[in-house]
Amino acid sequence: MLPPISPIAYRPALTGLRAVAVWLVVLAHWTRAPFPVGEIGRITFFVLSGYLISGIIWKQQLHPGAPAGWGRRLVTFYQRRGLRILPPYYLALLLGALLPLATLREYPGWFILPVSNLLFYRLHHWGEGVGHYWTMAVDEQFYLVWPFLLGLMGRRIGPLLAVAGSALLFRILWSTWVSPDFVLVLLPSCLDMFAIGAVLRIVEHSPRVQALAQGRWVVLAWAAWAGLWLATHATNAHALWLFVYTTVGSGAAFLTLSWVLHRPAVGQAHGTNFLLSPVLQWVGQRSYGCYLYHLLLPVLYQRVVFRIFPTAETRQFWLSPLPTVLLLLPVLLLLAATSWHWLEAPLNKWKNRLAYAE
């Protein structure tokens, strides 16, 4: 018999983990790192989303087959999600249109809906300064379909693992029969990460999972993931990497989240939990703004550099990774802090007034 879902509570360590994950993505994009360190952040975010959203759906009984009133409660869930995510997102889109960003100006409807992941799949290239929005589109599509999938599967590990396997199968079949280009931006390709997060929500308190919730297993799992990347690229097996890396990474993210959830805030044997540091808590709380604006800034920065500096050598220096990071980091943090103070925090207060019906 499965244990009951534990109460939904604020976990500050997860806020610190968000800070680490979002800056892995930001720095990977700003520095054009050859190793896919940004994928570690993205996979962790998607697994975390599966963990949190599945917990809300089960706890609040928002899925078909739940007690009477599940439809009204599901509407409340969508209202809360929309209020938290969409206004800051649309503000970022407006700023991008004013910049202007060519892809956003040419295809505005794909971003407004938002289905930008389908646009990038159709175009087979990333838009200038908007390429990261595909993950937000996938996340919002996940919110729409996941309550209904959980209603079909119930709170059972086997069907969830089958969903994870189906994502791997989808990537293989779609790449073979249709096209391998940009297959990873389609929602079915990402379901393994969300499903593994849901599995963690079920088994997080089991003794076996608690035994694995140790830092050495986290390091070993991500080292194995990195070794897979090295082996597939050294042997020119890039297709194999694209097929399996999110599934393998989901396992590493599963262990990472298990370790974070079971790590004590303060303990004599473990010391202070670094994820609870004031800096990471501050950044993690503002991680959404960091993610929203992090690809807009390099576009603006590049235009300024080309306007100010006439020679190629000077431009090359200022657009190299170190000056880019040093100059854009405080600007991004300021933008994220402004977004949080004037928009996100007030919206969160409104969101919290939307209570689920009994």
Side-chain angles (χ1 to χ4, degrees), residues 200 204 206-223 251-264 269-270 274-275:
L200 176 60
E204 62 177 312
S206 72
R208 185 174 299 178
V209 170
Q210 292 185 39
L212 291 173
Q214 300 183 44
R216 64 175 179 269
W217 297 118
V218 174
V219 173
L220 182 62
W222 285 116
F254 177 97
L255 293 174
T256 302
L257 287 173
S258 300
W259 173 69
V260 169
L261 292 168
H262 291 94
R263 185 173 169 80
H270 301 276
F274 76 98
L275 293 173

Side-chain angles (χ1 to χ4, degrees), residues 163-185:
V163 169
S166 72
L168 173 60
L169 183 61
F170 174 84
R171 292 193 293 270
I172 295 172
L173 295 179
W174 194 272
S175 298
T176 303
W177 294 343
V178 183
S179 171
D181 295 333
F182 281 72
V183 66
L184 292 171
V185 306

Side-chain angles (χ1 to χ4, degrees), residues 9-21 44-45 48-49 51-52 200-201 204 253 256-262 273 275-276 280-281 284-285 287:
Y10 173 65
R11 307 280 188 91
L14 295 181
T15 300
L17 182 64
R18 285 191 185 95
V20 174
T44 300
F45 264 122
L48 178 58
S49 187
Y51 170 83
L52 294 173
L200 176 60
R201 194 68 176 91
E204 62 177 312
T256 302
L257 287 173
S258 300
W259 173 69
V260 169
L261 292 168
H262 291 94
N273 188 339
L275 293 173
L276 302 180
L280 286 182
Q281 289 294 302
Q285 195 175 51
S287 59

Side-chain angles (χ1 to χ4, degrees), residues 136-338:
M136 299 173 61
V138 165
D139 224 14
E140 290 163 27
Q141 293 158 21
F142 161 69
Y143 297 152
L144 290 175
V145 305
W146 200 240
F148 299 94
L149 285 178
L150 291 186
L152 290 174
M153 295 182 294
R155 195 160 64 88
R156 294 179 292 170
I157 297 173
L160 286 168
L161 292 178
V163 169
S166 72
L168 173 60
L169 183 61
F170 174 84
R171 292 193 293 270
I172 295 172
L173 295 179
W174 194 272
S175 298
T176 303
W177 294 343
V178 183
S179 171
D181 295 333
F182 281 72
V183 66
L184 292 171
V185 306
L186 301 176
L187 175 62
S189 291
C190 301
L191 288 177
D192 49 355
M193 294 172 278
F194 296 124
I196 292 300
V199 170
L200 176 60
R201 194 68 176 91
I202 296 173
V203 303
E204 62 177 312
H205 297 300
S206 72
R208 185 174 299 178
V209 170
Q210 292 185 39
L212 291 173
Q214 300 183 44
R216 64 175 179 269
W217 297 118
V218 174
V219 173
L220 182 62
W222 285 116
W225 185 83
L228 176 65
W229 176 83
L230 183 62
T232 53
H233 283 69
T235 58
N236 204 31
H238 301 288
L240 177 61
W241 168 255
L242 292 176
F243 290 155
V244 303
Y245 85 91
T246 60
T247 301
V248 176
S250 296
F254 177 97
L255 293 174
T256 302
L257 287 173
S258 300
W259 173 69
V260 169
L261 292 168
H262 291 94
R263 185 173 169 80
V266 178
Q268 293 179 352
H270 301 276
T272 302
N273 188 339
F274 76 98
L275 293 173
L276 302 180
S277 70
V279 172
L280 286 182
Q281 289 294 302
W282 189 92
V283 174
Q285 195 175 51
R286 294 153 182 82
S287 59
Y288 186 41
C290 291
Y291 192 74
L292 278 175
Y293 295 105
H294 83 275
L295 277 187
L296 302 181
L297 288 181
V299 174
L300 177 61
Y301 176 59
Q302 184 181 55
R303 294 178 184 180
V304 170
V305 167
F306 270 76
R307 181 176 293 271
I308 294 177
F309 301 106
T311 64
E313 290 183 358
T314 308
R315 291 172 177 172
Q316 184 177 6
F317 167 77
W318 286 105
L319 293 174
S320 61
L322 185 58
T324 298
V325 171
L326 291 179
L327 290 172
L328 294 188
L329 187 150
V331 177
L332 180 57
L333 291 177
L334 179 61
L335 272 175
T338 302

Side-chain angles (χ1 to χ4, degrees), residues 26-41:
V26 171
L27 293 177
H29 285 160
W30 284 0
T31 63
R32 303 182 185 90
F35 176 74
V37 64
E39 292 300 307
I40 297 176

